[in-house]
Amino acid sequence: MSYPFLSEFDIIFAGGGSTACVVAGRLAACDPSLKILILEGGQHTLNKAAHVQPYQYFTHQAPGSTTMTFNVGNPSPHLNGRAPIVHCAHCVGGGSSVNFMNYTRSPASDFDDWGVDGWESKSLIPLMKKVLECAASLETYEVQADRPTHGYDGPIKVSSGGRKMSISEDFIRVGSKYHKRPFSDDSNDLETCNTYSPWFKYIDGTTGTRSDAAHHYVYNQAHNPNLQIWAGKRVKRVIFEDKRAVGVEFTNDLVSCPDANQSLSTVRASKLVVISAGAFGSPAILERSGVGAEAVLKQCGIEQRVNLPGVGENYRDHNGAFVPYFGGDEFVTMDRLWRGEESVVQEHLALWNSNRESLIAQNGNDAKIKWRPDEDELKVMGSTFEPRWKEFFQDRPEKAVAILTVFAGYLGSSGLPPRNYVTAEIITLYPVSVGSVHIKLGENGKEDVDFTTGYLDDPSDIVPLNFGYKKLREIYRRMPSYRGEVAAFHPRFPEGSAAVCGEVAGPVDLNAPDIIYTAEDDEAIEQFHRDNMQTTWHSLGTCAMKLREDQGVVDARLNVYGVTNLKVADLSIVPKNVGTNTYSTALLIGEKAAMIIAEDLGIEYRL
Ligand SMILES: Cc1cc2nc3c(=O)[nH]c(=O)nc-3n(C[C@H](O)[C@H](O)[C@H](O)COP(=O)(O)OP(=O)(O)OC[C@H]3O[C@@H](n4cnc5c(N)ncnc54)[C@H](O)[C@@H]3O)c2cc1C
């Protein structure tokens, strides 16, 4: 069948998020004559304050936001019947344009665990720092000089952000004393964990702006007419001639352009189609193109082109809980800015425009521990976690069970009274539970999503959350800014319990006894997490790079099995979870994908 193609490009990217921008930007820089098109469902982000000014990151989660897609999961008995909502980005630059900007890297061994040729840590580390003659590194690490695993000449800037938060300094000081863990100034060296450390950010230390993939890989090549971004365009499916991908079909995106017509257009790709629509978008495009499991396609009335039952399976995320506390009035938090108090915003904008030592270049989150339990903690965590500890963590000192941190400010959308808050956060890093994301035909005959998060399906997954709640509470109780718990957002402890929450005058002594929790209290914490645990926005794995017979979707060179001229490049290819906030992994996959594609197309890779 032949199609009336609108125009022709060498490479078309279906989706213009973090990874797509890296790949497209690198290829365009290597060969400016290459005709590249990025089709992105969301809108442009170029120089828009909500994307460029770091402090605004949480605005993207507001109800009605058009820069996010709100994916509603199926109700789960492990979440007390709740249907969890997992957001993903919907704008040029994808997650890199809306994320919290926390700079974290996984242990090098995570990549070795994938077991995929060419993706071992020894092949990937050179992409993070400049050791390859032909390539620049992906980051410029502004916080410390001469660190062997960091890069110093890449487009993505890593700094400590604007004005430092004293609450985070207290977290490191109190945490390391009370929790008896050492301090380290770099827990992102691909190995170190279990230390109290500063948490650096994807923020340019000179300009105070977000270091996203859109501005730093693609928008900065606006002089090249061969690199085009068409925003507000939703890719429906890949077009094939026999088994060869030759283009894509797209329409106006209903969220970005609600009034535009919904007619379909096609563009031709003479060399390659790269699906880069993230963990939700990429499997959906494959399934709409007839690549996937028979039952899924049949339910949607789509003719199967390639039987790939792994498409949409292997969904993974990290598990998070955000718990607010009252903070002392005399401490600096992000609350007044986040509430939009005009005088404070103007004051900090003026600072930002002059010397950048401003809260505009902050996310309120300057410290963390990548935590591993010690013997005593493991005893308290009990037998439900023991098998998981022994099988995965025990002999691997570089693998953390969770990240514990505090935000200086209330990170939530409930209208709390205007005062100072601190939010404690736990992110568990290698949950066992796995979910899936597929398209389905909704009751109205329109396409819908059939999304199972898998959250807390495995009994071991809730244990670190429960333990982390108690540990973070003990740490924060000892910090100078502590003024008690915002009870409505904590577990409902029974009346008379020593754990009952509420406002207090100030912190307890560093050596004060820990709160003793009864079995009933523990049950309240368990129920709290089943009712409230949430995504950490680290969705991945749904087009896994594995052997085809092992439910793989792409091979080690990112080719989709069973067809030609079609690759996937984004976090959906990650076969096993990574112990990190995932922007670093998306950047790395982008760098690696660019080299693979250049090699495939015979382009000299020199930057
Ligand atoms: C709210 C939030 C906070 C985060 N915080 C951090 C953090 O602090 N630190 C960190 O390291 N990581 C963080 N992350 C994670 C990180 O940003 C993501 O893991 C990463 O950006 C994913 O990259 P990707 O290329 O796989 O997908 P994305 O960047 O999500 O890109 C996919 C793109 O494809 C587009 N798309 C989807 N379907 C279609 C279609 N059919 N047609 C056209 N376009 C389509 C989407 O609109 C999107 O722009 C956060 C993510 C979010 C969402």
Side-chain angles (χ1 to χ4, degrees):
M1 185 169 176
S2 64
Y3 293 88
F5 286 107
L6 199 66
S7 48
E8 178 167 321
F9 291 81
D10 294 316
I11 307 177
I12 295 174
F13 288 84
S18 307
T19 316
C21 288
V22 176
V23 190
R26 286 300 200 199
L27 290 171
C30 284
D31 181 357
S33 72
L34 207 58
K35 291 188 76 182
I36 297 175
L37 173 64
I38 297 173
L39 287 167
E40 164 56 43
Q43 281 300 354
H44 275 293
T45 51
L46 181 65
N47 295 334
K48 288 186 182 162
H51 299 285
V52 173
Q53 296 174 354
Y55 88 102
Q56 295 215 36
Y57 65 98
F58 208 65
T59 59
H60 298 287
Q61 309 232 1
S65 165
T66 57
T67 52
M68 291 272 195
T69 302
F70 298 79
N71 302 289
V72 183
N74 299 320
S76 160
H78 302 289
L79 304 176
N80 289 342
R82 191 159 55 95
I85 296 175
V86 180
H87 330 66
C88 63
H90 183 68
C91 53
V92 174
S96 78
S97 305
V98 297
N99 70 21
F100 287 24
M101 297 155 289
N102 287 115
Y103 171 75
T104 323
R105 301 195 299 176
S106 55
S109 63
D110 281 3
F111 304 112
D112 300 322
D113 291 351
W114 293 0
V116 182
D117 275 357
W119 292 81
E120 310 82 1
S121 58
K122 72 172 175 6
S123 312
L124 295 179
I125 291 171
L127 305 180
M128 303 183 205
K129 55 181 190 156
K130 184 175 167 66
V131 297
L132 293 181
E133 267 310 297
C134 60
S137 53
L138 68 84
E139 68 179 25
T140 297
Y141 193 62
E142 296 180 340
V143 276
Q144 295 134 349
D146 301 327
R147 299 293 165 117
T149 66
H150 291 284
Y152 292 91
D153 62 349
I156 296 298
K157 304 287 194 298
V158 177
S159 77
S160 50
R163 177 172 171 174
K164 294 239 173 69
M165 314 296 299
S166 71
I167 286 175
S168 299
E169 284 164 12
D170 290 338
F171 181 73
I172 292 180
R173 184 176 51 76
V174 172
S176 47
K177 272 198 196 136
Y178 162 76
H179 199 187
K180 299 186 176 52
R181 299 292 197 278
F183 170 80
S184 125
D185 67 358
D186 183 11
S187 58
N188 287 310
D189 60 359
L190 313 178
E191 205 171 297
T192 299
C193 76
N194 222 9
T195 62
Y196 278 83
S197 303
W199 204 343
F200 302 122
K201 306 168 209 317
Y202 291 104
I203 294 176
D204 185 319
T206 310
T207 62
T209 53
R210 173 189 284 276
S211 222
D212 62 322
H215 286 82
H216 297 87
Y217 282 89
V218 176
Y219 284 143
N220 56 357
Q221 298 190 59
H223 52 275
N224 179 354
N226 289 327
L227 174 57
Q228 293 193 21
I229 308 171
W230 295 359
K233 304 295 179 203
R234 178 176 177 271
V235 173
K236 186 177 175 207
R237 65 189 177 104
V238 178
I239 295 168
F240 293 93
E241 283 172 5
D242 193 17
K243 295 279 182 187
R244 179 188 161 92
V246 295
V248 300
E249 188 174 67
F250 67 93
T251 182
N252 289 310
D253 183 87
L254 264 182
V255 174
S256 304
C257 328
D259 301 325
N261 74 53
Q262 291 299 294
S263 59
L264 291 167
S265 304
T266 51
V267 268
R268 189 175 179 89
S270 59
K271 296 188 169 148
L272 187 65
V273 174
V274 182
I275 301 179
S276 195
F280 292 94
S282 289
I285 292 174
L286 280 176
E287 289 179 342
R288 286 196 292 267
S289 311
V291 180
E294 192 180 354
V296 173
L297 304 184
K298 203 167 169 191
Q299 197 266 345
C300 297
I302 296 170
E303 194 184 327
Q304 191 180 51
R305 183 174 298 274
V306 184
N307 182 26
L308 272 191
V311 174
E313 295 296 308
N314 192 46
Y315 172 83
R316 291 162 199 265
D317 189 0
H318 299 135
N319 298 167
F322 292 77
V323 185
Y325 291 82
F326 294 112
D329 292 341
E330 66 277 33
F331 290 83
V332 174
T333 71
M334 301 295 289
D335 291 295
R336 298 183 70 190
L337 273 160
W338 286 347
R339 278 196 296 271
E341 286 184 27
E342 194 53 29
S343 61
V344 184
V345 173
Q346 289 308 327
E347 179 198 332
H348 281 277
L349 276 174
L351 282 171
W352 187 64
N353 286 323
S354 53
N355 66 10
R356 317 288 174 184
E357 285 287 302
S358 149
L359 291 182
I360 300 293
Q362 249 297 354
N363 67 356
N365 193 206
D366 279 344
K368 68 169 182 306
I369 174 170
K370 288 176 170 175
W371 162 69
R372 277 172 67 79
D374 60 20
E375 286 301 317
D376 291 342
E377 290 173 331
L378 281 168
K379 266 189 216 136
V380 180
M381 289 167 79
S383 57
T384 313
F385 189 65
E386 200 180 317
R388 178 63 178 152
W389 172 260
K390 288 196 164 145
E391 161 242 341
F392 186 75
F393 294 102
Q394 183 167 272
D395 301 324
R396 315 189 71 189
E398 78 285 5
K399 306 271 195 204
V401 170
I403 294 176
L404 309 181
T405 186
V406 293
F407 286 79
Y410 171 56
L411 206 66
S413 47
S414 307
L416 291 179
R419 50 179 292 185
N420 277 350
Y421 297 92
V422 166
T423 305
E425 184 198 12
I426 174 165
I427 306 174
T428 64
L429 291 175
Y430 301 95
V432 176
S433 307
V434 177
S436 61
V437 183
H438 295 288
I439 56 169
K440 71 171 182 191
L441 214 53
E443 279 166 16
N444 55 6
K446 289 196 175 147
E447 184 189 303
D448 205 345
V449 60
D450 178 9
F451 173 33
T452 301
T453 61
Y455 293 159
L456 304 187
D457 284 0
D458 190 279
S460 70
D461 285 345
I462 200 168
V463 180
L465 284 176
N466 293 344
F467 186 83
Y469 169 81
K470 295 179 187 172
K471 187 58 75 180
L472 273 165
R473 188 169 170 190
E474 292 301 343
I475 294 168
Y476 190 50
R477 281 174 79 220
R478 289 160 174 79
M479 285 170 52
S481 54
Y482 173 74
R483 298 293 182 273
E485 297 81 24
V486 183
F489 298 99
H490 278 250
R492 299 285 155 100
F493 296 111
E495 218 175 299
S497 156
V500 161
C501 296
E503 197 169 347
V504 297
V508 301
D509 186 77
L510 190 74
N511 300 313
D514 286 358
I515 297 166
I516 294 173
Y517 293 87
T518 63
E520 269 181 302
D521 294 332
D522 284 343
E523 180 55 26
I525 297 174
E526 172 106 4
Q527 290 314 317
F528 172 75
H529 283 130
R530 295 203 184 280
D531 285 338
N532 292 290
M533 69 69 60
Q534 63 161 81
T535 178
T536 57
W537 312 279
H538 296 161
S539 301
L540 51 82
T542 49
C543 299
M545 180 170 59
K546 297 199 238 180
L547 295 177
R548 186 169 181 175
E549 56 273 26
D550 202 13
Q551 293 233 312
V553 175
V554 297
D555 65 19
R557 295 191 70 79
L558 304 177
N559 298 309
V560 176
Y561 290 117
V563 292
T564 61
N565 285 29
L566 182 64
K567 291 189 194 283
V568 179
D570 57 27
L571 279 188
S572 71
I573 66 146
V574 173
K576 289 184 182 166
N577 219 330
V578 283
T580 178
N581 303 58
T582 44
Y583 182 27
S584 54
T585 318
L587 290 167
L588 199 55
I589 290 170
E591 294 283 358
K592 176 82 181 168
M595 294 185 92
I596 290 175
I597 293 171
E599 209 170 79
D600 281 6
L601 300 185
I603 298 165
E604 190 188 2
Y605 200 73
R606 188 157 287 279
L607 293 162

